[in-house]
Amino acid sequence: MTKQDKKRVEELEHKFEAIKKTKWATNTRIASSVVWNLFLLFLVIGLTLTVFGASVGAGYFASLVEKEPLRSKQEMRDQIFSYEETSEIYANGKYLRKVRSDIDRKEVKLEDVSPYVINAVYATEDEYFNAHKGIVPKAVFRGLFQDVTNSDSQTGGSTLTQQLIKNQILTNEISYERKAKELLLAMRLEHFMSKEEILEAYLNIIPYGRNSNGGNVAGIEAAAEGIFNKTAKELNLAQAAYIAGIPQAPFAYTPFYNGKTGLKDEAGLKPGINRMKTVLFRMKETEYISEKEYNEAVAYDVTKDFRTAAQPPKSRDEYLTDDIQRNTIAILANILAEKDGIDADRLVEDKKLKEKYNILAERSMRNDGFRIYSTVDMPLYNALNDVAESYTQYGYTYTQTVTDKKTGEKTTEKLPAQVGASLIDNKTGKVLAFVGGRDHELEASNHSTQTQRQPGSTIKPLLVYAPAIEYGYIGAGSPVVDVKFHVGKWNPVNFLANQELGIIPARQALESSQNLATIRLYKQFVDRRPAEFLDKMGYTNLEANDYENLSAAVGGLANGATVQENTGAFATLANGGQHIKPYIVEKIEDSSGKVIYQHKAEPVQVFSEQTAYIISDMLRDVASSGTAKNMKNQLNFNLDIAAKTGTTDSYSDAWLVGYNPNISLGVWLGYKYQTLSLQGPGNAQFGTTNTRTTTLYAQLLNAVNKIRPETVGKEARFQQPKGVVSRSFCGISGLAPSAACSAAGLVRSDLFNANVMLPNKADDSIISSASVSVKGTRYAALPSTPSEFISAGGTGVNEAFIKRMLGPFGGDASKLFPASSGFASRVVSGAVFPADSVAPAGVTASQNGSVMTWNSSPSNDVIGYYVYNGGTRVGTIRDGQSLSFSIGSGTYTVRAVDITGLTSASSNAVTTVVATPEPEKPAAPETGSGETEGDSSATPPGSTTEKPKPPTSGNGDGKPKPPASGSGDGKPKPPASGGDGKPTPPASGGGDGKPKPPASGGDGDGDSDGE
């Protein structure tokens, strides 16, 4: 270096040192040092967090997949290729049909698929398929980031391998656990299968929306045939792009509606067309097609190639197939869960877990080649459905306009009256046959096993009367109280809203289905939770309130029951109180013939054998003379049958469930929507609800007996077990007969469960009684009640009895023995009328010839009327007698008399004058001249000096004589048979002069149900 260069360097160093000493340089140096140190600090923190995050992520990933079993190569390959074999269904041991798959799938080899399809799949579903090892990390992280940030853009990140794992090995469950397993298994599968095998499997299993019949399709071959009526190899570019675009949103992009509706309209097709254009654009961008091919395909009218919709075959077997498949899935779900060490109770409680195993079970059921053996007897099944299809009196078919939420299209939906029926073998629980509905295409819900409806009065023997006998509250004929009451705002009534039968036998209350008596009885033991009996008998959807609500006694459950559940519960009574759960799948064999499931009955003793027999005996009356008598009258063979009808509010449901010792048959009628009524507009022409239900039931049972008489066993009779005894008791109290009860003619006898209840305590309810009638109801006479209105020497009951019978609900004691009661002519309730100190209101009298009539007093305590002539009382008319009186000459008035003896003001007067007859002229003397001589006052021969007599009814004092029935005191005498001055009522009356209504309280046709 020259001296000049050195000098220049020194000058530069000097200048640099000078600059370093300036304030600006000092600040710059300090700032850069801080920045550098911060950079190093953040770098270290970042690396630390990255390592930590990666460790946590790896640990979390490991925790998600730790329970995933390590599948072998063969296991994974078998599961991936498990789409080939379809399970089969057998009935009566004979092949019935293949499992009806929800998805139409046809296998195809990769070489038989159009290259356009393959390239379209690559371009839209997995651009890097031939390069990755099962997953694309950046796609996974992108998807995770979008999920964590809840991004509106969800681009997904599943490779074809991942989609194959999700569809064939795992489920569609949305969870990080499932996703982690999917990633792990996808990478593992890439080691066990070639890319060609993975692609071929994917093309055979992926869903492609609907075909022209509206059915679901999976696999490229079924999609090509179902949409374009071509093979997968024949698809052109536009068709291939259309199908390849469908899997992203199968039911939005498919060109067909569900069911028979056919091809979508232009607006409905637009999303699929736009998706096709997107697929073509991606194929061009990824250079699978040229610009020219792209333009030609975009301009191609693919809609003209869509296949014309064909009508898929429909039959009654679809109800059967659906039900067998549903039960098989439930069985297989339990088997699969058990293999994984999951308790059955946990599967019930954990809905998400149950959903997962149901998906796996359904896949297994459809694809694992099982042979499923059913309990259904096909001749019986066809016989029941033949009757159901030919029956014409179901009811009116309603219609409603329905708007499609997606398309806005309006269609008219038919809503016919529907039917569900179930036939069960009592001893085994086998479902022998059922009716699922009237038209599977119109309404696919199985009304025998899926539809839950309120049971109406069919619940009464199960929830009220059987428990009451089991607990020892009643025997078959024990008295129950059918008198109105209210609890808060709840005012229950009988089927006939104004009807109160008073004290009646439990047998009669069940026969005519009295609501008031049933609820009062239920109140006595509801705190013992009798709904637990329902739970034991197979009611699967009870809620907490069902164990407490009094309305449950008349069918007011939260969810109700299916026909099969209700019929199975009645089969418990037929089976000696032992419940055997109904079932339809007998056994399942795998493809090699190995039995993987065999049904085993697990009987549950619900009621004692004695209780079951007594209830069955009571329900015999329902069939022979009660609400189901129309059914028994229409049977063409003799059968020892017990039955119960039921209807719900507004007739939205109608039931009849019956049984003999061998089989139980339940039938339900109703509409899809419970707001529609079987008695609503248009239904009058079909007859009453009761008639329709009982007639259909009889026809079904006749068909069963015709096809399988040995199954019905018409010779079978209910056998009375030991412990069921007949005992006498006082009919009004249920206690042992006392001398007073016997003298009053109130002793009855009926069946008791001797193990829990016998009428041993002597009756103490009866007293002598004097009563008076007030507006047709009898009350205890008061000390001030006029004796002429009192009926003395009858049979009465004491106040303690009244309080005991009315119980916690209370009620009107006078209604305990109404005119319709079988006890009315012999027993007075003992109720005291709430009298006041106000005289009754007066009446208005009128005259009709020789008869005076008057209106009844509006006062509510009137026991009769006094009739006066002038100031003299000439007649007494009791409550219930005709408001009329035969009159002669004089001035008549009427006064109303109340129970305390007070009288009203006199009515207006009715005055009658009897005309005096003119005297006869004397006869002319026989002088021959025809003239009379002498004094004009002379008395003619044969005449008298007395005044003309009044009519022969007089009594010699010039006053008219009352009718011949009089007593000589001017008062009319009651009919001669009265004895005590009271009239004898008609022979059919209840002791108060009124005719007696039918003993059952019904109208002879309808069902006395309802809440």
Side-chain angles (χ1 to χ4, degrees), residues 124-336:
T124 55
E125 298 294 329
D126 196 346
E127 183 179 353
Y128 305 104
F129 175 72
N130 289 307
H132 64 66
K133 299 298 182 182
I135 66 172
V136 178
K138 69 176 183 179
V140 173
F141 286 119
R142 182 178 67 246
L144 179 62
F145 177 77
Q146 291 171 345
D147 185 58
V148 170
T149 60
N150 197 26
S151 172
D152 291 335
S153 175
Q154 298 286 333
T155 58
S158 296
T159 63
L160 297 185
T161 314
Q162 288 175 252
Q163 293 182 55
L164 195 58
I165 292 294
K166 179 176 69 175
N167 280 278
Q168 293 297 90
I169 297 179
L170 300 177
T171 68
N172 291 324
E173 166 193 12
I174 299 175
S175 69
Y176 287 123
E177 180 182 354
R178 197 271 300 161
K179 194 68 176 180
K181 292 178 180 180
E182 178 187 301
L183 296 173
L184 180 67
L185 292 174
M187 290 186 289
R188 187 169 178 79
L189 186 65
E190 291 276 345
H191 293 289
F192 297 152
M193 293 177 63
S194 67
K195 290 289 186 180
E196 288 75 15
E197 288 177 322
I198 291 173
L199 178 61
E200 181 179 297
Y202 171 87
L203 291 172
N204 276 296
I205 62 95
I206 205 70
Y208 283 104
R210 301 188 183 97
N211 60 20
S212 59
N213 292 335
N216 298 331
V217 290
I220 191 65
E221 184 71 10
E225 182 179 323
I227 297 174
F228 293 113
N229 199 23
K230 290 187 175 184
T231 66
K233 196 169 188 175
E234 296 171 338
L235 295 173
N236 62 33
L237 176 57
Q239 294 164 349
Y242 189 96
I243 291 180
I246 291 176
Q248 187 188 63
F251 301 113
Y253 297 148
T254 185
F256 299 104
Y257 289 116
N258 188 19
K260 291 184 177 182
T261 313
L263 189 67
K264 293 178 179 178
D265 57 21
E266 184 177 351
L269 292 173
K270 189 173 182 180
I273 301 298
N274 290 340
R275 176 62 180 166
M276 178 194 76
K277 293 177 180 178
T278 300
V279 172
L280 290 170
F281 178 78
R282 290 184 180 177
M283 291 180 74
K284 183 190 73 169
E285 290 295 299
T286 51
E287 299 182 353
Y288 284 111
I289 59 174
S290 65
E291 184 76 26
K292 180 182 177 182
E293 288 176 310
Y294 168 75
N295 291 330
E296 290 175 351
V298 167
Y300 185 82
D301 182 12
V302 74
T303 61
K304 64 181 177 59
D305 297 338
F306 291 138
R307 187 171 182 174
T308 303
Q311 299 294 331
K314 296 290 181 181
S315 75
R316 65 179 61 159
D317 289 349
E318 290 182 341
Y319 284 116
L320 175 60
T321 303
D322 287 349
D323 199 61
I324 293 173
Q325 291 181 177
R326 273 192 299 271
N327 281 271
T328 301
I329 290 169
I331 292 168
L332 293 177
N334 287 329
I335 292 174
L336 294 173

Side-chain angles (χ1 to χ4, degrees), residues 32 119 141 151 345 386 442 478 510 534 583 622 729 807 826 971:
S32 62
N119 291 336
F141 286 119
S151 172
D345 292 336
D386 284 342
L442 192 62
S478 296
L510 184 57
L534 296 181
Y583 70 100
V622 177
F729 57 94
R826 287 166 288 171
K971 298 180 184 179

